[in-house]
Amino acid sequence: MVIAQPPIVDDAEWRRQVATLAAQESAVAAELDRLAAARKRMPMVRVDRDYLFEGPSGEVSLLDLFEGRCQLILYRFFFEEGVDGWPDAGCVGCSSWADGVAQLGLLHARDITFAMASPAPQPTIRAYAERMGWTDKPWYTIRTEAFTDDFGATEWFAINVFLRVGDDIYRTYFLQDGAMVSSIGSVTSLAALTPYGGQIEGEDVPEGWPQAPMAHWMRRHDEFGGLTPPSRLT
């Protein structure tokens, strides 16, 4: 089998095509900015039902999953009977996506908690998490069966985003589209799903939204300790 390769051109033609592609990329980036701005203007709905989960230390509530932060991205991971690989492995698509999730400390600095939830029991979850190197990612067992149906994950994965106001919880966003999900995993793309977004000055946000200068966020991930997120300063 002969492996195809890109065509060979001279330097002038290559630079012309780079410029053409850069213009296309700028247009796509502008559209993504508009999409992120629209997410920040989404309404929210109160979560009135109590949902229970189980973590390494026992039973916890949906409120506990926030870990004291104000925003929660919860990924419903398919790991249960009927999934290919059960009980030794979770859904291959969910696993591939989880491998690309950003360093969590960079999300925590923005007052965002990322967690995963599945019906699998904790010992099974912990064994697979250790195999995959995900011991830093909170991963809970779903104890309230209705959670999967109530939050749109009866057939596929689901990303749900929540905002905590005191002890009240609101659902702010839902994503289950493969084309979009495949590009999400970086700090910027995950933060863009939340109501407060990246919290960077210059973002298109409603009045009163927390923001900080870009220089505030330009740190190594082990230098965010003790940083107060802008969402707690307003």
Side-chain angles (χ1 to χ4, degrees):
M1 178 180 177
V2 177
I3 303 298
Q5 298 175 341
I8 299 173
V9 297
D10 60 28
D11 187 69
E13 174 61 15
W14 183 83
R15 291 179 183 277
R16 186 189 70 78
Q17 294 204 29
V18 167
T20 298
L21 192 60
Q24 294 173 343
E25 290 169 344
S26 293
V28 170
E31 187 59 35
L32 290 175
D33 286 344
R34 285 190 286 271
L35 182 60
R39 285 197 197 99
K40 297 183 187 78
R41 290 165 173 80
M42 276 283 294
M44 60 186 185
V45 59
R46 183 169 178 169
V47 178
D48 290 321
R49 185 170 184 171
D50 293 328
Y51 295 94
L52 295 178
F53 303 82
E54 182 184 345
S57 300
E59 190 173 85
V60 292
S61 66
L62 181 60
L63 182 64
D64 293 324
L65 268 56
F66 283 79
E67 297 181 347
R69 302 181 186 94
C70 76
Q71 300 174 99
L72 169 67
I73 299 173
L74 186 56
Y75 184 80
R76 203 296 193 180
F77 192 118
F78 265 70
F79 190 19
E80 57 217 83
E81 291 187 23
V83 171
D84 184 33
W86 174 262
D88 299 318
C91 165
V92 66
C94 293
S95 299
S96 297
W97 188 86
D99 272 333
V101 172
Q103 210 281 339
L104 296 187
L106 303 178
L107 292 174
H108 296 168
R110 288 168 167 81
D111 217 8
I112 301 167
T113 295
F114 172 84
M116 304 190 296
S118 303
Q122 277 296 295
T124 306
I125 284 176
R126 298 324 307 164
Y128 189 45
E130 289 175 9
R131 168 187 164 184
M132 300 299 287
W134 298 338
T135 53
D136 62 322
K137 295 179 175 67
W139 195 354
Y140 299 94
T141 300
I142 299 169
R143 285 297 181 213
T144 302
E145 187 174 345
F147 173 84
T148 290
D149 186 56
D150 290 351
F151 292 96
T154 53
E155 296 183 26
W156 304 103
F157 64 86
I159 296 175
N160 281 279
V161 183
F162 302 93
L163 178 68
R164 179 179 65 84
V165 182
D167 288 342
D168 295 329
I169 300 173
Y170 298 87
R171 189 186 190 192
T172 64
Y173 189 59
F174 171 78
L175 181 61
Q176 199 179 44
D177 182 87
M180 282 296 300
V181 172
S182 62
S183 64
I184 290 172
S186 67
V187 172
T188 301
S189 61
L190 285 166
L193 303 180
T194 66
Y196 293 143
Q199 301 177 52
I200 301 170
E201 282 185 357
E203 288 184 342
D204 184 351
V205 300
E207 184 177 354
W209 251 230
Q211 291 189 322
M214 176 62 80
H216 178 82
W217 302 111
M218 291 296 99
R219 303 164 188 254
R220 300 169 185 85
H221 74 257
D222 61 354
E223 297 174 348
F224 277 98
L227 181 70
T228 301
S231 56
R232 300 197 182 190
L233 296 175
T234 56

